[in-house]
Amino acid sequence: MASDSKPTINDVARIAEVSKKTVSRVINKSPLLSEKTRERVEQVIADIGYVPNPQARALALRRNFVIAAIHDNPNAQFLVNVQQGILEGLAGSDFNLMVKPVDRNSPNITDDIRDFLVRQRPYGVVLLPPVSENDEIARLCDDLGCRYVRMGSVRLDEAEHTVSSNDREAVCEAVSYLIEKGHQRIAIIEGPKGFTSPQERRAGFEEALHSAGLKLDEALVRPGSYTFESGVAAGQSLVEMADRPTAIFACNDEMAIGAMIAARRSGLLIPEDLSIVGFDDTPLSSHVWPSLTTVHWPIVDMARTAALKLIAPDDVEANARWLLPSVLIERSSVVPPAAR
Amino acid sequence: MASDSKPTINDVARIAEVSKKTVSRVINKSPLLSEKTRERVEQVIADIGYVPNPQARALALRRNFVIAAIHDNPNAQFLVNVQQGILEGLAGSDFNLMVKPVDRNSPNITDDIRDFLVRQRPYGVVLLPPVSENDEIARLCDDLGCRYVRMGSVRLDEAEHTVSSNDREAVCEAVSYLIEKGHQRIAIIEGPKGFTSPQERRAGFEEALHSAGLKLDEALVRPGSYTFESGVAAGQSLVEMADRPTAIFACNDEMAIGAMIAARRSGLLIPEDLSIVGFDDTPLSSHVWPSLTTVHWPIVDMARTAALKLIAPDDVEANARWLLPSVLIERSSVVPPAAR
DNA sequence: TTGTAGGCGTTATCAC
DNA sequence: GTGATAACGCCTACAA
């Protein structure tokens, strides 16, 4: 059963009575080959079950048939979604996915990544946020001749090196939706400082207010750290206000659900007493009750696109496409504000 | 900055005025080497920043310095925990982690995995549940000369090929804990049919009842599918019973939290009116209110151990250790039943 | 259109 | 202990 000694290119060449190089040409679909020879070689390949050895190719080509996901992200769902997307993009190809976690806070992060790239020589890397925002690392990839694509909430690089959502616009749309429903006192639970995505989401929030002629009430801004607990804390402090908001936009679903639970614990009805909108569209958002109106963040699509950019670098059209819009998903956590 | 043309073993040999093979011996820590030669070579290696090329080694050794996680598991948190554990085990080594998802329901799953193993030639693979329960796949690894470790809730193979928790015992302990608190009417929300872990957990549940002299009330058994929603449904149907249980054991945390929410929606207080115990100890379990008493499933440790078994096959002690016990984590979702 | 020679960077064999 | 020499399996350059 087990192909103990696997056939090599030499076996194919010998049996098909051609040279190694001819077999190599067949494998690599070289155009300069007689149809007859190609057919004969392909027949032999099928007969003896020859499979090219990726290690040998990697050595000769000085490049591994591997795409690496470099990340420093604590969120399990995000990470798995990205992996799924990359794997979808890689499906049917000879490429495999390698996972390389790094420590954002380590001073050696650049050396660590350099070492990884030099040793493993991946064909390309997908940089996930927030590490994707580090220009030095992108430059490092470039210097080492490693293809890269950066994922983010804004365009971080040239189109061929970028896959991005439009968080700002999407949040603006979501908050405008709240305003259309009649909400005026809208709170925001922010994400962690120092990262781009929360900044963009906050910016979109303000944009929506401004274009509706509302002004930002700093009393309705709460810090958050993308965790459930921070959502609970922020939500609690908001609902305890004398003049509490009628709606909350949370910069991610986990915090939105935290806020939802805090509000309910304080005896409020969701959405009657308080409307809530999240961001991400995690599985949880459709599982909670009431189901959460949220912005769908197309992570899987983004990751798939990133993978395709890496392995099909000549696909001009794919390389030009860098924006995958986030869209609002209406569920049941938003209604017009109750008259009070 | 970039080491454009990396130094090779030849460069080291030339500068150190030894043969390639001697350098190779230094790299591989061969014992038959004069101390003097070793030092000189190591000095040169450090001086010119030589890094062995993994692709060339892979070709010569016919084996890649890669550990693959083969999985068919929908649960993001589980998957990420396993990856984290494997990466911890691999830290400091030259190994990297590759992710290989497979489709449990595909008839080609064996061929798919065989193809992957033959092409990629990973040094070893970690088989995650439920695919780890497939004996045919384990045999396949063996046939192809690929080291493997199977993760599971029971011992699935010889010690060196197994890393397992003891779900049955752990659940028995957890349910006994409920009984000690005074609970007699204890419900169970089961996991999906056809998998080992839910079976084991159910068995542990029954064991606890029997050893306390209680008998299983089939009316208190609810099916579940490890999803939040199934927990909500099961929880709701349980709390609506005329003679409802005073405690629920759910086969995983997601369902436990679902049941918790269903109960609260029906106006019950947790834990005063209903105690709940889960299984897994996911991050969420300490985030909810009240925090969930649950069984800690040591996935990260299991995965780390699996990785170590693969890359240090001569470590007899490590290879003998295959059981990593699950332990009960007492939080605040369990109190004695209220008198009624 | 096809073949030959040589290289990719490492390890294994077997002398010395 | 150490070193030529030959694998490992594929690819590129150049020749035919």
Side-chain angles (χ1 to χ4, degrees):
Chain A
M1 194 70 263
S3 44
D4 267 58
S5 61
K6 283 179 51 193
T8 74
I9 198 171
N10 292 305
D11 301 323
V12 178
R14 185 168 33 75
I15 298 174
E17 296 176 314
V18 294
S19 74
K20 288 162 63 170
K21 183 57 208 176
T22 301
V23 179
S24 174
R25 288 197 178 95
V26 172
I27 297 169
N28 296 297
K29 305 193 194 304
S30 160
L32 356 76
L33 261 179
S34 76
E35 198 51 41
K36 232 178 85 184
T37 313
R38 157 169 289 126
E39 277 172 14
R40 181 152 45 92
V41 173
E42 280 178 342
Q43 187 57 50
V44 173
I45 289 179
D47 285 349
I48 67 176
Y50 163 72
V51 184
N53 179 319
Q55 282 74 48
R57 301 184 72 184
L59 180 57
L61 291 171
R62 298 131 152 271
R63 179 150 281 180
N64 226 334
F65 279 54
V66 160
I67 298 298
I70 300 183
H71 77 272
D72 173 11
N73 198 296
N75 185 276
Q77 190 64 53
F78 177 79
L79 195 51
V80 169
N81 283 342
V82 170
Q83 290 183 12
Q84 184 195 325
I86 295 177
L87 286 162
E88 284 177 10
L90 264 33
S93 76
D94 289 341
F95 287 91
N96 283 106
L97 172 62
M98 192 163 273
V99 182
K100 172 63 181 172
V102 296
D103 181 358
R104 170 175 53 227
N105 301 313
S106 160
N108 307 321
I109 181 169
T110 308
D111 292 335
D112 183 24
I113 293 179
R114 183 204 312 280
D115 195 56
F116 172 77
L117 296 179
V118 166
R119 300 178 82 102
Q120 199 56 45
R121 292 190 173 280
Y123 188 86
V125 297
V126 180
L127 300 168
L128 317 205
V131 78
S132 61
E133 295 165 12
N134 187 324
D135 289 325
E136 192 187 350
I137 289 171
R139 215 175 315 120
L140 177 63
C141 295
D142 226 15
D143 289 347
L144 295 177
C146 178
R147 299 177 206 286
Y148 69 92
V149 171
R150 303 163 77 174
M151 288 182 62
S153 298
V154 293
R155 178 167 173 169
L156 292 162
D157 208 315
E158 295 160 39
E160 63 174 316
H161 295 303
T162 301
V163 172
S164 161
S165 53
N166 57 342
D167 288 16
R168 184 191 294 227
E169 277 180 60
V171 170
C172 183
E173 184 194 344
V175 175
S176 298
Y177 166 81
L178 283 172
I179 296 172
E180 280 164 27
K181 289 278 183 182
H183 292 276
Q184 304 258 342
R185 290 188 58 71
I186 306 174
I188 179 172
I189 306 179
E190 297 187 283
K193 308 289 182 198
F195 300 104
T196 302
S197 80
Q199 278 169 16
E200 287 296 305
R201 295 174 192 183
R202 155 91 189 230
F205 179 79
E206 297 192 22
E207 257 179 50
L209 295 185
H210 291 157
S211 55
L214 301 172
K215 73 181 232 284
L216 179 72
D217 181 352
E218 286 291 347
L220 296 180
V221 177
R222 289 291 178 286
S225 54
Y226 277 174
T227 65
F228 180 85
E229 282 126 328
S230 68
V232 172
Q236 181 159 357
S237 100
L238 285 168
V239 298
E240 285 172 352
M241 292 174 71
D243 189 15
R244 61 173 165 78
T246 62
I248 296 178
F249 166 71
C251 279
N252 79 349
D253 285 350
E254 264 193 75
M255 297 195 298
I257 293 169
M260 192 183 273
I261 290 188
R264 196 169 305 118
R265 209 190 297 161
S266 297
L268 296 188
L269 291 176
I270 312 286
E272 291 78 1
D273 297 326
L274 181 70
S275 290
I276 298 184
V277 173
F279 196 110
D280 278 353
D281 193 25
T282 59
L284 205 56
S285 64
S286 54
H287 291 168
V288 290
W289 186 261
S291 59
L292 186 67
T293 291
T294 188
V295 178
H296 175 73
W297 195 23
I299 308 172
V300 177
D301 290 342
M302 288 166 66
R304 189 193 317 107
T305 305
L308 291 174
K309 287 192 182 207
L310 290 173
I311 69 175
D314 300 330
D315 185 337
V316 180
E317 193 184 345
N319 277 322
R321 195 164 64 101
W322 60 273
L323 179 67
L324 285 85
S326 299
V327 296
L328 184 67
I329 309 285
E330 292 189 45
R331 295 213 179 86
S332 33
S333 63
V334 173
V335 292
R340 273 192 284 183
Chain B
M1 192 73 262
S3 44
D4 267 57
S5 62
K6 285 179 49 193
T8 74
I9 198 170
N10 292 306
D11 301 323
V12 179
R14 184 168 32 77
I15 297 173
E17 295 177 313
V18 293
S19 74
K20 289 161 67 168
K21 184 59 204 173
T22 301
V23 179
S24 174
R25 288 194 178 96
V26 173
I27 297 168
N28 295 296
K29 305 192 194 306
S30 160
L32 356 77
L33 260 181
S34 77
E35 198 52 42
K36 231 179 84 185
T37 313
R38 155 169 290 123
E39 277 172 14
R40 181 152 42 92
V41 173
E42 279 177 344
Q43 188 58 51
V44 174
I45 289 178
D47 284 350
I48 68 176
Y50 163 71
V51 184
N53 178 317
Q55 281 73 47
R57 300 184 71 182
L59 180 59
L61 291 169
R62 296 130 153 266
R63 180 148 281 180
N64 226 335
F65 278 52
V66 159
I67 299 298
I70 300 182
H71 78 273
D72 174 11
N73 199 296
N75 185 275
Q77 189 64 52
F78 177 79
L79 195 52
V80 169
N81 282 342
V82 170
Q83 290 184 10
Q84 183 195 326
I86 294 176
L87 287 162
E88 284 178 10
L90 264 33
S93 76
D94 289 342
F95 287 92
N96 283 106
L97 172 62
M98 193 163 274
V99 181
K100 172 65 182 171
V102 296
D103 181 357
R104 170 174 55 227
N105 300 313
S106 160
N108 308 320
I109 180 170
T110 309
D111 292 334
D112 183 24
I113 294 179
R114 183 205 311 282
D115 195 56
F116 172 76
L117 295 179
V118 166
R119 299 179 84 102
Q120 199 57 46
R121 291 192 173 279
Y123 189 86
V125 297
V126 179
L127 299 168
L128 317 206
V131 78
S132 61
E133 295 164 12
N134 186 325
D135 289 325
E136 193 187 349
I137 289 171
R139 217 175 313 119
L140 177 64
C141 294
D142 226 14
D143 289 347
L144 295 178
C146 178
R147 300 178 205 286
Y148 69 92
V149 171
R150 303 164 76 173
M151 288 183 62
S153 298
V154 294
R155 177 165 172 169
L156 292 163
D157 208 314
E158 296 160 38
E160 62 175 315
H161 294 303
T162 301
V163 172
S164 162
S165 53
N166 57 344
D167 287 16
R168 184 190 296 227
E169 277 181 60
V171 170
C172 183
E173 184 195 343
V175 175
S176 299
Y177 166 81
L178 284 172
I179 297 172
E180 281 164 26
K181 290 279 182 182
H183 292 276
Q184 305 258 340
R185 290 188 57 72
I186 306 174
I188 178 172
I189 305 178
E190 297 189 284
K193 309 288 181 197
F195 299 104
T196 303
S197 80
Q199 278 169 17
E200 288 296 306
R201 294 172 193 184
R202 156 89 188 230
F205 179 79
E206 297 193 20
E207 257 179 50
L209 294 185
H210 291 158
S211 55
L214 301 173
K215 72 180 231 287
L216 179 71
D217 181 351
E218 286 290 347
L220 296 180
V221 177
R222 289 291 179 286
S225 53
Y226 277 172
T227 65
F228 180 85
E229 283 127 328
S230 69
V232 172
Q236 179 159 356
S237 101
L238 285 168
V239 299
E240 283 172 352
M241 292 175 71
D243 190 14
R244 61 174 167 76
T246 62
I248 296 177
F249 167 72
C251 279
N252 78 350
D253 285 350
E254 263 193 76
M255 298 194 298
I257 292 168
M260 192 182 272
I261 290 187
R264 194 165 311 116
R265 210 188 299 162
S266 298
L268 297 188
L269 291 176
I270 312 286
E272 292 77 1
D273 297 326
L274 181 69
S275 291
I276 298 184
V277 173
F279 195 109
D280 278 352
D281 192 25
T282 59
L284 204 57
S285 64
S286 54
H287 290 168
V288 290
W289 187 262
S291 58
L292 186 66
T293 292
T294 188
V295 177
H296 175 73
W297 195 23
I299 309 172
V300 177
D301 290 343
M302 288 166 67
R304 188 192 318 106
T305 305
L308 291 174
K309 285 192 184 208
L310 290 173
I311 68 174
D314 300 329
D315 185 337
V316 180
E317 194 184 347
N319 278 321
R321 196 163 64 101
W322 60 272
L323 179 67
L324 285 86
S326 298
V327 297
L328 184 66
I329 309 284
E330 292 188 45
R331 295 211 180 87
S332 35
S333 64
V334 174
V335 293
R340 274 193 285 181

